[in-house]
Amino acid sequence: MTKLGRIRLIILSKFTLTKAIPKGLKMAEEKEAVETQQDPLTEVLEAFKKQQKLIIGAVLVVFGVFGGITVKKSMDAANETEAQSKLFKIEKELQSINEEKAKQAAVKDEKAETEAVDTKAQLEAVESQLNSFVSENKSLKAGVRASLILAKILSEEGESQKALEVLDMVKDSLGSGALSSLYKTQKLSLYLDTENYDAAVKLADEMIAKKDESFAHPLAYLKKAIAVEKKGDIEEAKAIYKKLSSDYPEHSAGKTAMQYLRIL
């Protein structure tokens, strides 16, 4: 081979090698890109796994919340049951005292009176128990019931203002239903006893406005009419008495309203 031929061969080899290197590098890069590129099905599966984790997390949160609510309800129910059981014992004790008082009232023997049990001291002890019970259980139905019992005792002793204070201890735990209506009806009577006629009218109107307390409406109308009459508005009182006697002629409140109308 001539010298010129050898030179051409060297130049051609260098050119081929130089061109081949970038081409090989590009092929390697393309291969790597293909290998690293995920199959569409794989992408879907990965996305599903991520979504599944989020769903499981959300479900766990929901179960945690509802589980907490369930536990709280169970604890509240257990506390209510325990409180009702304690209140029942106090009520039994109060019943025994009242029976003893009735027995003493029926006996007019001096010797029997001397030997009689001191029911006054026993009643004071029960009042103290009830007061503590209300303070400790004011958020429970048992606490509301206890407040009604204690308020009745205090009212009978002429302590209407103290009775109102006892009822105020549980005013934020009433809810709705029969117990709430009993509470409000008793409070209405105490407002009248303490000559707080404006408060009586306001509470009566609140009761009358509630359909779920319809069974207490006759007494609410009667207490309102009495309060209005005591305030001096005879005509309005007459109008309420007439409505009451007309709407509830067979109810004791309607019959009482009819008697009051005859007097006015």
Side-chain angles (χ1 to χ4, degrees):
M1 183 181 293
T2 64
K3 187 176 180 181
L4 181 60
R6 283 199 300 271
I7 292 170
R8 286 177 178 175
L9 181 61
I10 291 169
I11 292 170
L12 180 62
S13 297
K14 286 183 178 180
F15 174 77
T16 304
L17 183 61
T18 304
K19 190 174 180 181
I21 288 172
K23 185 176 180 181
L25 182 60
K26 185 177 180 182
M27 290 177 64
E29 288 175 349
E30 289 177 351
K31 182 181 180 183
E32 185 180 355
V34 170
E35 289 176 351
T36 56
Q37 184 178 6
Q38 286 188 338
D39 181 71
L41 180 60
T42 304
E43 289 183 358
V44 171
L45 289 174
E46 289 296 327
F48 176 75
K49 287 178 182 179
K50 291 179 181 179
Q51 193 72 16
Q52 193 177 39
K53 288 179 182 179
L54 290 173
I55 292 171
I56 292 171
V59 170
L60 289 174
V61 169
V62 170
F63 272 106
V65 171
F66 279 101
I69 292 172
T70 302
V71 170
K72 186 180 183 304
K73 285 184 177 179
S74 298
M75 290 178 65
D76 288 346
N79 291 337
E80 185 68 63
T81 301
E82 184 181 358
Q84 292 285 2
S85 178
K86 289 179 180 178
L87 180 59
F88 178 73
K89 292 178 182 178
I90 299 174
E91 287 181 288
K92 288 283 287 181
E93 190 175 345
L94 179 59
Q95 183 180 353
S96 297
I97 293 170
N98 288 333
E99 288 173 355
E100 180 62 30
K101 286 172 68 177
K103 189 191 299 182
Q104 291 178 14
V107 176
K108 295 183 179 180
D109 187 305
E110 291 184 5
K111 183 180 179 181
E113 288 179 3
T114 305
E115 297 174 352
V117 176
D118 186 2
T119 55
K120 184 178 180 181
Q122 289 182 335
L123 186 58
E124 287 175 354
V126 168
E127 287 178 21
S128 179
Q129 287 183 65
L130 285 169
N131 193 63
S132 298
F133 185 91
V134 173
S135 297
E136 294 167 4
N137 300 280
K138 61 180 69 175
S139 63
L140 302 176
K141 289 182 180 179
V144 177
R145 282 187 57 232
S147 74
L148 295 175
I149 296 168
L150 181 54
K152 185 175 183 294
I153 295 171
L154 293 170
S155 177
E156 290 172 350
E157 294 175 350
E159 299 285 355
S160 297
Q161 189 57 48
K162 285 185 179 180
L164 278 171
E165 291 170 5
V166 169
L167 293 182
D168 281 340
M169 292 169 68
V170 297
K171 64 182 179 181
D172 296 325
S173 308
L174 291 179
S176 59
L179 193 60
S180 173
S181 295
L182 287 172
Y183 171 93
K184 292 174 184 176
T185 301
Q186 190 163 346
K187 204 166 190 180
L188 272 175
S189 296
L190 291 171
Y191 279 146
L192 293 177
D193 290 343
T194 55
E195 301 182 356
N196 193 346
Y197 303 128
D198 288 333
V201 170
K202 182 180 178 182
L203 181 55
D205 284 338
E206 289 176 5
M207 293 176 67
I208 293 166
K210 291 189 175 181
K211 292 182 179 180
D212 61 343
E213 296 184 357
S214 58
F215 64 92
H217 286 180
L219 285 174
Y221 275 117
L222 181 61
K223 303 292 185 183
K224 178 182 178 180
I226 294 171
V228 169
E229 182 185 346
K230 293 290 185 181
K231 288 175 68 177
D233 195 339
I234 304 302
E235 291 307 313
E236 185 182 353
K238 281 183 178 181
I240 300 171
Y241 285 136
K242 284 179 182 178
K243 176 177 174 55
L244 180 54
S245 59
S246 174
D247 292 351
Y248 306 95
E250 299 303 318
H251 195 282
S252 59
K255 293 177 181 178
T256 301
M258 183 63 73
Q259 293 174 357
Y260 285 177
L261 268 174
R262 291 178 185 143
I263 298 171
L264 290 177

PDB file of all heavy atoms in Angstrom, residues 47-60:
ATOM      1  N   ALA A  47     -50.535   4.100  41.287  1.00  0.00           N
ATOM      2  CA  ALA A  47     -51.495   5.146  41.666  1.00  0.00           C
ATOM      3  C   ALA A  47     -52.578   4.576  42.566  1.00  0.00           C
ATOM      4  O   ALA A  47     -53.006   5.196  43.548  1.00  0.00           O
ATOM      5  CB  ALA A  47     -52.124   5.767  40.421  1.00  0.00           C
ATOM      6  N   PHE A  48     -53.022   3.337  42.236  1.00  0.00           N
ATOM      7  CA  PHE A  48     -54.062   2.683  43.049  1.00  0.00           C
ATOM      8  C   PHE A  48     -53.557   2.422  44.461  1.00  0.00           C
ATOM      9  O   PHE A  48     -54.279   2.594  45.443  1.00  0.00           O
ATOM     10  CB  PHE A  48     -54.486   1.381  42.374  1.00  0.00           C
ATOM     11  CG  PHE A  48     -55.488   0.592  43.185  1.00  0.00           C
ATOM     12  CD1 PHE A  48     -56.825   0.991  43.257  1.00  0.00           C
ATOM     13  CD2 PHE A  48     -55.090  -0.538  43.895  1.00  0.00           C
ATOM     14  CE1 PHE A  48     -57.737   0.279  44.017  1.00  0.00           C
ATOM     15  CE2 PHE A  48     -55.993  -1.244  44.655  1.00  0.00           C
ATOM     16  CZ  PHE A  48     -57.321  -0.846  44.716  1.00  0.00           C
ATOM     17  N   LYS A  49     -52.275   1.980  44.545  1.00  0.00           N
ATOM     18  CA  LYS A  49     -51.702   1.715  45.869  1.00  0.00           C
ATOM     19  C   LYS A  49     -51.673   2.970  46.726  1.00  0.00           C
ATOM     20  O   LYS A  49     -51.990   2.958  47.912  1.00  0.00           O
ATOM     21  CB  LYS A  49     -50.285   1.154  45.721  1.00  0.00           C
ATOM     22  CG  LYS A  49     -50.258  -0.283  45.230  1.00  0.00           C
ATOM     23  CD  LYS A  49     -48.823  -0.762  45.060  1.00  0.00           C
ATOM     24  CE  LYS A  49     -48.780  -2.185  44.514  1.00  0.00           C
ATOM     25  NZ  LYS A  49     -47.387  -2.643  44.313  1.00  0.00           N
ATOM     26  N   LYS A  50     -51.285   4.101  46.100  1.00  0.00           N
ATOM     27  CA  LYS A  50     -51.256   5.373  46.831  1.00  0.00           C
ATOM     28  C   LYS A  50     -52.655   5.773  47.281  1.00  0.00           C
ATOM     29  O   LYS A  50     -52.867   6.203  48.409  1.00  0.00           O
ATOM     30  CB  LYS A  50     -50.651   6.472  45.958  1.00  0.00           C
ATOM     31  CG  LYS A  50     -49.166   6.302  45.700  1.00  0.00           C
ATOM     32  CD  LYS A  50     -48.643   7.419  44.803  1.00  0.00           C
ATOM     33  CE  LYS A  50     -47.145   7.249  44.513  1.00  0.00           C
ATOM     34  NZ  LYS A  50     -46.635   8.314  43.616  1.00  0.00           N
ATOM     35  N   GLN A  51     -53.615   5.620  46.346  1.00  0.00           N
ATOM     36  CA  GLN A  51     -55.004   5.974  46.669  1.00  0.00           C
ATOM     37  C   GLN A  51     -55.540   5.069  47.773  1.00  0.00           C
ATOM     38  O   GLN A  51     -56.277   5.501  48.655  1.00  0.00           O
ATOM     39  CB  GLN A  51     -55.871   5.834  45.401  1.00  0.00           C
ATOM     40  CG  GLN A  51     -57.250   6.458  45.526  1.00  0.00           C
ATOM     41  CD  GLN A  51     -57.172   7.971  45.531  1.00  0.00           C
ATOM     42  OE1 GLN A  51     -56.156   8.529  45.154  1.00  0.00           O
ATOM     43  NE2 GLN A  51     -58.220   8.618  45.980  1.00  0.00           N
ATOM     44  N   GLN A  52     -55.151   3.797  47.698  1.00  0.00           N
ATOM     45  CA  GLN A  52     -55.596   2.825  48.693  1.00  0.00           C
ATOM     46  C   GLN A  52     -55.107   3.210  50.083  1.00  0.00           C
ATOM     47  O   GLN A  52     -55.832   3.116  51.073  1.00  0.00           O
ATOM     48  CB  GLN A  52     -55.077   1.433  48.306  1.00  0.00           C
ATOM     49  CG  GLN A  52     -55.728   0.294  49.099  1.00  0.00           C
ATOM     50  CD  GLN A  52     -55.231  -1.046  48.613  1.00  0.00           C
ATOM     51  OE1 GLN A  52     -54.047  -1.208  48.305  1.00  0.00           O
ATOM     52  NE2 GLN A  52     -56.121  -2.026  48.538  1.00  0.00           N
ATOM     53  N   LYS A  53     -53.868   3.677  50.162  1.00  0.00           N
ATOM     54  CA  LYS A  53     -53.311   4.108  51.447  1.00  0.00           C
ATOM     55  C   LYS A  53     -54.094   5.294  52.016  1.00  0.00           C
ATOM     56  O   LYS A  53     -54.374   5.369  53.202  1.00  0.00           O
ATOM     57  CB  LYS A  53     -51.842   4.483  51.290  1.00  0.00           C
ATOM     58  CG  LYS A  53     -50.934   3.280  51.077  1.00  0.00           C
ATOM     59  CD  LYS A  53     -49.489   3.711  50.895  1.00  0.00           C
ATOM     60  CE  LYS A  53     -48.574   2.525  50.645  1.00  0.00           C
ATOM     61  NZ  LYS A  53     -47.171   2.938  50.446  1.00  0.00           N
ATOM     62  N   LEU A  54     -54.440   6.225  51.107  1.00  0.00           N
ATOM     63  CA  LEU A  54     -55.214   7.394  51.540  1.00  0.00           C
ATOM     64  C   LEU A  54     -56.590   6.981  52.042  1.00  0.00           C
ATOM     65  O   LEU A  54     -57.083   7.480  53.063  1.00  0.00           O
ATOM     66  CB  LEU A  54     -55.366   8.382  50.377  1.00  0.00           C
ATOM     67  CG  LEU A  54     -54.092   9.119  49.948  1.00  0.00           C
ATOM     68  CD1 LEU A  54     -54.370   9.920  48.685  1.00  0.00           C
ATOM     69  CD2 LEU A  54     -53.603  10.042  51.061  1.00  0.00           C
ATOM     70  N   ILE A  55     -57.236   6.041  51.330  1.00  0.00           N
ATOM     71  CA  ILE A  55     -58.568   5.564  51.717  1.00  0.00           C
ATOM     72  C   ILE A  55     -58.505   4.867  53.071  1.00  0.00           C
ATOM     73  O   ILE A  55     -59.339   5.098  53.948  1.00  0.00           O
ATOM     74  CB  ILE A  55     -59.137   4.614  50.641  1.00  0.00           C
ATOM     75  CG1 ILE A  55     -59.427   5.402  49.362  1.00  0.00           C
ATOM     76  CG2 ILE A  55     -60.403   3.926  51.143  1.00  0.00           C
ATOM     77  CD1 ILE A  55     -59.776   4.525  48.176  1.00  0.00           C
ATOM     78  N   ILE A  56     -57.501   3.993  53.222  1.00  0.00           N
ATOM     79  CA  ILE A  56     -57.345   3.274  54.492  1.00  0.00           C
ATOM     80  C   ILE A  56     -57.128   4.259  55.640  1.00  0.00           C
ATOM     81  O   ILE A  56     -57.704   4.135  56.724  1.00  0.00           O
ATOM     82  CB  ILE A  56     -56.175   2.268  54.416  1.00  0.00           C
ATOM     83  CG1 ILE A  56     -56.539   1.137  53.443  1.00  0.00           C
ATOM     84  CG2 ILE A  56     -55.854   1.714  55.788  1.00  0.00           C
ATOM     85  CD1 ILE A  56     -55.389   0.207  53.136  1.00  0.00           C
ATOM     86  N   GLY A  57     -56.318   5.290  55.372  1.00  0.00           N
ATOM     87  CA  GLY A  57     -56.070   6.309  56.396  1.00  0.00           C
ATOM     88  C   GLY A  57     -57.340   7.033  56.777  1.00  0.00           C
ATOM     89  O   GLY A  57     -57.628   7.265  57.962  1.00  0.00           O
ATOM     90  N   ALA A  58     -58.146   7.387  55.758  1.00  0.00           N
ATOM     91  CA  ALA A  58     -59.410   8.084  56.020  1.00  0.00           C
ATOM     92  C   ALA A  58     -60.361   7.209  56.803  1.00  0.00           C
ATOM     93  O   ALA A  58     -61.043   7.666  57.722  1.00  0.00           O
ATOM     94  CB  ALA A  58     -60.045   8.511  54.695  1.00  0.00           C
ATOM     95  N   VAL A  59     -60.425   5.925  56.432  1.00  0.00           N
ATOM     96  CA  VAL A  59     -61.308   4.981  57.136  1.00  0.00           C
ATOM     97  C   VAL A  59     -60.902   4.854  58.593  1.00  0.00           C
ATOM     98  O   VAL A  59     -61.748   4.837  59.493  1.00  0.00           O
ATOM     99  CB  VAL A  59     -61.285   3.603  56.438  1.00  0.00           C
ATOM    100  CG1 VAL A  59     -61.987   2.559  57.305  1.00  0.00           C
ATOM    101  CG2 VAL A  59     -61.967   3.691  55.083  1.00  0.00           C
ATOM    102  N   LEU A  60     -59.604   4.772  58.827  1.00  0.00           N
ATOM    103  CA  LEU A  60     -59.113   4.667  60.206  1.00  0.00           C
ATOM    104  C   LEU A  60     -59.477   5.899  61.026  1.00  0.00           C
ATOM    105  O   LEU A  60     -59.848   5.797  62.195  1.00  0.00           O
ATOM    106  CB  LEU A  60     -57.594   4.465  60.213  1.00  0.00           C
ATOM    107  CG  LEU A  60     -57.109   3.094  59.718  1.00  0.00           C
ATOM    108  CD1 LEU A  60     -55.585   3.084  59.637  1.00  0.00           C
ATOM    109  CD2 LEU A  60     -57.590   1.990  60.658  1.00  0.00           C
TER     110      LEU A  60
END
